[in-house]
Amino acid sequence: MTGTLLPGIDARTVRTDRYTANVLERPADGDALQTVLFVHGNVSSSLFWQPLMLSLPAGIRALAVDLRGFGDSEVLPVDATRGVRDFSDDVAAVADELGLGAAHIVGWSLGGGVVMQLLLDRPDLVASLTLVSPVSPYGFGGTALDGSLLNADASGTGGGGANPDFVARLAAGDTGEESPTSPRAVYRSSYVAPGFESEYEDLWVESMLSTATGPDNYPGDAGASEHWPGFAPGTRGILNTLAPTHFDTSGIADAPAKPPILWLHGDVDAIVGDASFFDLNQLGAAGVIPGWPGEDVAPPQPMLAQTRAVLDRYAENGGRTREVVFENCGHSAHVEKPEEFRAELLAWIS
């Protein structure tokens, strides 16, 4: 992907004992005053961070890592039974190899879950956390407000929930816009607010198309369930890492280390919200998927309320937090609201 690098961004290969990572860098001018490490979301890559990295003050060293199976990093299987630890351990390995020490860590969507796990397992690497439209600390789908499972096997979550036509178009490298399940159409309908336009749209689509597909990567495998809608999380691949049977980072509220946490999200986020149209229970409630058993059995996941509750406990236990909601903004505040995003980030890490 070297042809897609913006002027001022360097790419390097970082070999660790876990995987071979592609890392982008906007070097500091002279000795770095601060280091910021960016972790991308699902079906994307480090390319999404480039304009923001270039806009940061010259004294900041800005780095962005490609997770395994994304961008130009090595494609390796993802063991979903570890939650997102395959990813967070990879990020830690890169940070160790580069000798970063405690850095300001920014995670978007899936990356938000990854960096929360990093805080739990390697707090020595985290000077502060910035969560950008992060997955709920209780995973994606299948839980009540307190994080408890709606049923024991968390039916309707994990790899079985992916749209197979979208997966096929990812694998085929589809750059068109005719189908609503093409990566470009999904970017326009779900990654950003309606009507948002960007000069970098082709770059974002290329970033999405770098996603490795299959049962070991995106979306993963699935199991059977006696509960609606008939499938349960599998044990392999990306979407299963976020299934609530495997993923739970709510322990950050009680963890001894309490670096400051900034939570940034848009007010019209179609992916992470209290009425997400990527939550199959929400689709059932809306009549999109037939046979929904009702609110008492399969309510939509209150994702924002869950994150807010965990961060409130984090603050009650001595941590410092801040929530910022950007108006007319979807799932990608760093792309849609770059000036406001940069201002909030710089104020926080300074």
Side-chain angles (χ1 to χ4, degrees):
M1 289 191 181
T2 54
T4 59
L5 295 180
L6 300 181
I9 299 289
D10 300 325
R12 69 164 75 180
T13 298
V14 178
R15 291 181 172 84
T16 76
D17 59 1
R18 291 191 50 80
Y19 84 133
T20 299
N22 180 61
V23 178
L24 302 188
E25 180 170 1
R26 198 299 306 270
D29 185 5
D31 293 335
L33 301 177
Q34 294 166 309
T35 297
V36 182
L37 177 62
F38 296 96
V39 182
H40 63 80
N42 196 10
V43 191
S44 66
S45 74
S46 59
L47 296 179
F48 266 88
W49 295 113
Q50 290 185 96
L52 177 63
M53 294 166 69
L54 290 169
S55 74
L56 295 177
I60 290 179
R61 183 188 187 192
L63 300 157
V65 60
D66 284 336
L67 301 174
R68 62 172 62 192
F70 296 96
D72 282 344
S73 282
E74 184 178 6
V75 177
L76 291 174
V78 176
D79 179 0
T81 65
R82 305 185 69 232
V84 295
R85 284 186 177 89
D86 271 0
F87 296 131
S88 59
D89 286 352
D90 288 349
V91 172
V94 170
D96 287 340
E97 183 66 27
L98 295 177
L100 299 186
H104 300 286
I105 313 290
V106 181
W108 170 38
S109 195
L110 162 69
V114 172
V115 303
M116 285 188 279
Q117 189 66 57
L118 186 70
L119 172 57
L120 286 170
D121 296 338
R122 288 293 305 276
D124 57 300
L125 296 177
V126 183
S128 73
L129 276 191
T130 297
L131 306 175
V132 187
S133 296
V135 63
S136 162
Y138 298 112
F140 202 95
T143 56
L145 177 60
D146 64 358
S148 59
L149 294 176
L150 299 180
N151 58 63
D153 64 10
S155 64
T157 71
N163 184 303
D165 193 58
F166 174 64
V167 178
R169 290 177 183 277
L170 273 180
D174 181 3
T175 61
E177 58 185 28
E178 293 77 15
S179 170
T181 56
S182 72
R184 189 179 300 272
V186 170
Y187 159 78
R188 291 176 179 174
S189 66
S190 304
Y191 283 43
V192 295
F196 175 79
E197 296 182 356
S198 171
E199 63 180 300
Y200 299 114
E201 181 174 296
D202 287 345
L203 183 60
W204 306 153
V205 173
E206 182 173 350
S207 176
M208 295 171 70
L209 292 173
S210 74
T211 304
T213 58
D216 282 322
N217 297 103
Y218 182 83
D221 62 352
S225 174
E226 64 182 15
H227 304 288
W228 185 89
F231 69 86
T235 61
R236 303 152 60 198
I238 295 158
L239 293 188
N240 293 312
T241 68
L242 300 177
T245 48
H246 304 313
F247 177 92
D248 184 349
T249 58
S250 63
I252 62 172
D254 302 309
K258 288 288 189 298
I261 298 179
L262 175 63
W263 175 25
L264 306 174
H265 58 103
D267 64 344
V268 289
D269 189 337
I271 297 176
V272 175
D274 288 346
S276 167
F277 270 75
F278 284 72
D279 178 355
L280 267 68
N281 287 353
Q282 177 63 38
L283 293 178
V288 177
I289 299 177
W292 182 58
E295 184 81 21
D296 292 341
V297 176
Q301 180 189 11
M303 302 179 189
L304 298 181
Q306 289 177 334
T307 299
R308 194 169 290 118
V310 169
L311 291 183
D312 284 348
R313 294 207 316 270
Y314 189 91
E316 290 167 2
N317 290 336
R320 181 165 62 94
T321 67
R322 173 171 165 78
E323 177 184 357
V324 178
V325 182
F326 296 109
E327 295 183 358
N328 191 31
C329 179
H331 190 61
S332 312
H334 54 300
V335 169
E336 300 170 75
K337 303 288 183 181
E339 295 181 3
E340 296 95 325
F341 186 101
R342 181 177 64 251
E344 291 288 350
L345 175 63
L346 292 177
W348 194 249
I349 67 175
S350 64

